[in-house]
Structures are given as structure tokens and as C-alpha cells.
């Protein structure tokens, strides 16, 4: 066998073929490696001709993508908007069964959101010009246009370390483009905060679950219009606050060493409702269902609390407030309820 191999490799033509095959293999593997971006490689550019302020409110299309896991925001949000175009087959396919509404109202809105808490929502709905004009106005208000034309990207960074992509085209032909990773700009977060109430209102109209948007940056905007009730029970005390048309009604049984306090759907002052809701808002809770809640999850008032639910408008299921901010501004909601019951008890 050894003599056979020696004879084969002594033939010049065979050696030449082997050499060619080795070279081809090396060239192929080198090219294959070059097809993958090098981890840590940084790309940066700025278009000097990109306008830093676009006065037009005539949006033709708009896409916003934010992905991050930080103290400020956590999760993924993608918002897309497009004007009706009967020649764009892909756009019409994405409209699906909403195509007639799309044609009638003129625009289509897509929302997908998740907040790393097992919550996920998708919404596809036709919208009118007034809605689109409001979005365009909020884009200007956010200050994000000052970043127009910026591209700042580092290869190989995990998406949840921060991704921000914004693109928009106006009927005037003007364009807005920002692409960044490793961070999300302050003006980008501001844009989401400004859009959030508009998007939630649209979700309310469509009976769509908006909890993922609330949890994405933990800001409970206009709680008096979103929160329908708060229920807290411990071994010797229970509180129920119902909110109807921004008016609070308190029910409770509260026993301490001296007295037995009782309220039964007593209307409370607007100022007291504001105190309760501010305590809820300032703690910046994440809201999760029973399915997500784990035994080791922090944030429930304490181990003796058997029930702690917040119910939201148009949503049947109750949500546990967890992992809140217990900093200097934290106010104990149970203590506030105790004082309220003393005030309104009969």
C-alpha cells in the first residue's frame, strides 16, 4: 500500500491537481469567513445632507424599532406605518383582511411589542390621516430629527444591549434615517414615550392587550383612564378601589388594635384618588399575570399578602405589580389605603 501511494504522489500531474484543490479550498474558506462580520468592528457615518428638521406632517411611511434591556426600557417594540399603494403587492398582502379599511382610511399601522415578561402583542389596523399627522407631529416634538443621517453600528453586540432604528419618508420626498446599536438615544426613548398614549388608545379601540407597551418602559400614563380597579388583601385587611370615569370608589374592611374600619363603595375625593394612583405610578411596577408570577418574584407587598391585583380598562385578567422602584419616592400603597379607610370609614 505504501508503495502505491509513493508512486501516485510521484506523478507530477497528480501533485499539481492536489495543489490546485488545496488552493481552491483555502480561497473558499477565506471568502466564507469574510462573509461574516467581524465581532467588535465599528461602523460610523453621518450624512451631511440629511435635514435636521422636517416641517412636513405628510408621512408616507414610518418604521421604528427599539430593542433594549436596561433600567429605562426593557423588551422589543416595532411600529410600522404605510400609506395605501395599490401597486405595492407586498404591502397589500401584509394588510391581509384589513385591505378594504386600508384603502378607505388611507394608511395601515402595525404594532408588535414584548417586554421580556412573557407578554407579547401584535396589532394590525387601518388608520386615517389625522392619526398619521399626529405621529408626524410627535416625531418632530421628540427631537429625534437632530440625529437624522446617523449610522453607528458595532458588529456582534447582542440585540438587547440596545438597538435603535428609525426610518421615515414624507410626501415631500424628505427622508429620516437613524441606525444605532449598543445604546438607545434619549430622543429615541422620548419618541416612544410620546407615541405610547396614541398607540394605547388605538389598542383600546381594537380591544387589544396593551400591557406589553406599559411594561416596555414602566410608565403608567394617565392611570385614571387605564386602571379600572386595585385589589389588595392580607390576613386582617382588604382594600378595593374601583375607578369609573376617573372617579374612585373605595371599599374596605380594616381591623387594627383599636377599631374596625369599614367602607362600602364610598366615593373618594379626586385629590385622594390622585395620591393613590401617584403611589402606583411612581413605583414603576412591571405588571404580570398569574401564569408568569413565580414564588421567588420580588415586588409583591409581603408574604402575608394573599391578593394584589391591578385591573386595567378593557382587559379581563388581573395583573400583579412586581419588581417596582423602591427608591426615595416610594410610597407604601397599603399604608395609604389604611389612612384613606380611616378617613372615609362610617
Amino acid at each position: 500500500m505504501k508503495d502505491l501511494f509513493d508512486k501516485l504522489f510521484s506523478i507530477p500531474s497528480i501533485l499539481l491537481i492536489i495543489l490546485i484543490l488545496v488552493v481552491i479550498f483555502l480561497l473558499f474558506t477565506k471568502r466564507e469567513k469574510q462573509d461574516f462580520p467581524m465581532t467588535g468592528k465599528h461602523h460610523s457615518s453621518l450624512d451631511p445632507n440629511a435635514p435636521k428638521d422636517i416641517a412636513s406632517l405628510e408621512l408616507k411611511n414610518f418604521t421604528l424599532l427599539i430593542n433594549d434591556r436596561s433600567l429605562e426600557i426593557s423588551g422589543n417594540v416595532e411600529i410600522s406605518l404605510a400609506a395605501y399603494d395599490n401597486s405595492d403587492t407586498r404591502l397589500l398582502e401584509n394588510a391581509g383582511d384589513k385591505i378594504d379599511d386600508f384603502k378607505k382610511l388611507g394608511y395601515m399601522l402595525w404594532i408588535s411589542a414584548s417586554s421580556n415578561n412573557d407578554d407579547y402583542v401584535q396589532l394590525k389596523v387601518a388608520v386615517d390621516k389625522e392619526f398619521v399627522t399626529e405621529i408626524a407631529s410627535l416625531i418632530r416634538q421628540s427631537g429625534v430629527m437632530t440625529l437624522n443621517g446617523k449610522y453607528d453600528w458595532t458588529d456582534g453586540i447582542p440585540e438587547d444591549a440596545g438597538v435603535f432604528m428609525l426610518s421615515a419618508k414624507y410626501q415631500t420626498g424628505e427622508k429620516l434615517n437613524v441606525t444605532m446599536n449598543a445604546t438607545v438615544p434619549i430622543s429615541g426613548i422620548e419618541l416612544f414615550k410620546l407615541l405610547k398614549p396614541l398607540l394605547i388608545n388605538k389598542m383600546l379601540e381594537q380591544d387589544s392587550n396593551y400591557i406589553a407597551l406599559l411594561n416596555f418602559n414602566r410608565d403608567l400614563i394617565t392611570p385614571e383612564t387605564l386602571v379600572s380597579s386595585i385589589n389588595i388583601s392580607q390576613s386582617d385587611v382588604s382594600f378595593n378601589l374601583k375607578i369609573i370615569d376617573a372617579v374612585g370608589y373605595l371599599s374596605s374592611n380594616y381591623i387594627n388594635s383599636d377599631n374596625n374600619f369599614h367602607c362600602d363603595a364610598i366615593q373618594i375625593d379626586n385629590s385622594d384618588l390622585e395620591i393613590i394612583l401617584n403611589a402606583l405610578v411612581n413605583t414603576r411596577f412591571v405588571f404580570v399575570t398569574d401564569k408568569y408570577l413565580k414564588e421567588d418574584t420580588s415586588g409583591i407587598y409581603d408574604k402575608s399578602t394573599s391578593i394584589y391585583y391591578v385591573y386595567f380598562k378593557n382587559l379581563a385578567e388581573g395583573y400583579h405589580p412586581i419588581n417596582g422602584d423602591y427608591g426615595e419616592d416610594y410610597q407604601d400603597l397599603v399604608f395609604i389605603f389604611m389612612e384613606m379607610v380611616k378617613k372615609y370609614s362610617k
Side-chain angles (χ1 to χ4, degrees):
M1 183 66 70
K2 184 176 183 300
D3 293 340
L4 178 61
F5 277 105
D6 290 342
K7 289 178 181 180
L8 286 173
F9 283 98
S10 66
I11 302 174
S13 60
I14 294 180
L15 286 174
L16 180 61
I17 292 172
I18 292 173
L19 181 61
I20 291 171
L21 290 174
V22 170
V23 171
I24 291 173
F25 175 76
L26 291 174
L27 288 174
F28 176 78
T29 54
K30 182 178 180 182
R31 182 176 179 180
E32 191 179 46
K33 289 179 180 178
Q34 289 176 344
D35 289 340
F36 295 95
M38 184 181 298
T39 300
K41 188 175 182 180
H42 184 239
H43 312 268
S44 180
S45 64
L46 182 64
D47 182 359
N49 298 317
K52 297 301 184 282
D53 184 31
I54 299 174
S56 173
L57 299 180
E58 301 283 338
L59 271 175
K60 187 174 182 180
N61 55 57
F62 164 76
T63 299
L64 174 66
L65 170 66
I66 305 177
N67 194 338
D68 198 12
R69 188 189 290 269
S70 65
L71 294 175
E72 184 67 23
I73 53 178
S74 182
N76 179 283
V77 167
E78 185 169 1
I79 303 159
S80 295
L81 181 74
Y84 181 79
D85 183 351
N86 61 6
S87 65
D88 191 331
T89 56
R90 184 177 179 182
L91 183 64
L92 298 180
E93 286 176 4
N94 288 337
D97 60 353
K98 306 287 185 180
I99 192 167
D100 290 338
D101 293 337
F102 187 13
K103 184 177 182 179
K104 179 181 178 181
L105 296 179
Y107 297 87
M108 199 74 192
L109 172 71
W110 293 267
I111 303 172
S112 66
S114 63
S115 65
N116 299 322
N117 293 291
D118 284 359
D119 53 23
Y120 179 72
V121 65
Q122 279 189 317
L123 176 67
K124 175 175 61 178
V125 61
V127 294
D128 59 16
K129 186 176 181 179
E130 183 180 354
F131 183 89
V132 175
T133 299
E134 181 67 18
I135 284 185
S137 177
L138 295 175
I139 293 171
R140 288 195 74 197
Q141 185 179 332
S142 71
V144 76
M145 286 183 176
T146 60
L147 299 175
N148 194 13
K150 183 172 183 177
Y151 182 87
D152 194 312
W153 195 268
T154 301
D155 295 330
I157 293 179
E159 287 188 356
D160 60 11
V163 174
F164 179 78
M165 296 181 179
L166 170 65
S167 66
K169 186 175 182 180
Y170 294 77
Q171 300 289 359
T172 58
E174 295 170 290
K175 295 180 180 180
L176 179 60
N177 287 291
V178 184
T179 302
M180 303 171 61
N181 75 344
T183 186
V184 177
I186 294 175
S187 57
I189 297 174
E190 180 63 19
L191 174 58
F192 172 76
K193 288 181 177 180
L194 291 171
L195 292 174
K196 186 174 175 179
L198 191 67
L199 300 176
I200 288 178
N201 284 337
K202 185 57 63 177
M203 288 177 142
L204 282 167
E205 290 176 10
Q206 301 298 313
D207 290 327
S208 179
N209 191 314
Y210 47 86
I211 292 297
L213 284 182
L214 292 183
N215 286 339
F216 182 69
N217 74 323
R218 300 192 181 199
D219 284 342
L220 184 54
I221 301 169
T222 59
E224 66 279 1
T225 63
L226 290 182
V227 176
S228 60
S229 69
I230 301 173
N231 296 337
I232 302 176
S233 292
Q234 294 178 323
S235 56
D236 58 350
V237 61
S238 65
F239 306 104
N240 174 260
L241 175 71
K242 288 188 178 296
I243 303 173
I244 303 173
D245 296 329
V247 177
Y249 299 88
L250 179 63
S251 299
S252 175
N253 282 308
Y254 166 40
I255 302 173
N256 64 15
S257 57
D258 300 319
N259 293 288
N260 184 352
F261 300 99
H262 176 75
C263 291
D264 187 10
I266 300 297
Q267 180 176 336
I268 64 175
D269 296 339
N270 288 340
S271 58
D272 289 331
L273 176 61
E274 185 177 352
I275 290 172
I276 293 171
L277 293 178
N278 280 343
L280 185 68
V281 169
N282 291 338
T283 309
R284 302 185 77 240
F285 287 114
V286 170
F287 297 98
V288 300
T289 62
D290 287 334
K291 181 179 178 181
Y292 179 83
L293 191 66
K294 308 295 191 302
E295 291 183 2
D296 59 350
T297 300
S298 64
I300 299 302
Y301 176 66
D302 62 31
K303 292 182 179 180
S304 67
T305 304
S306 57
I307 295 175
Y308 193 166
Y309 286 107
V310 178
Y311 289 83
F312 293 92
K313 185 176 180 181
N314 285 17
L315 304 180
E317 193 168 11
Y319 288 81
H320 296 284
I322 67 168
N323 299 336
D325 181 356
Y326 301 98
E328 294 181 357
D329 295 334
Y330 169 68
Q331 291 180 289
D332 185 343
L333 196 55
V334 171
F335 177 78
I336 291 174
F337 270 125
M338 288 178 176
E339 296 302 308
M340 294 293 178
V341 173
K342 291 176 184 178
K343 176 178 178 180
Y344 290 100
S345 181
K346 293 182 178 181

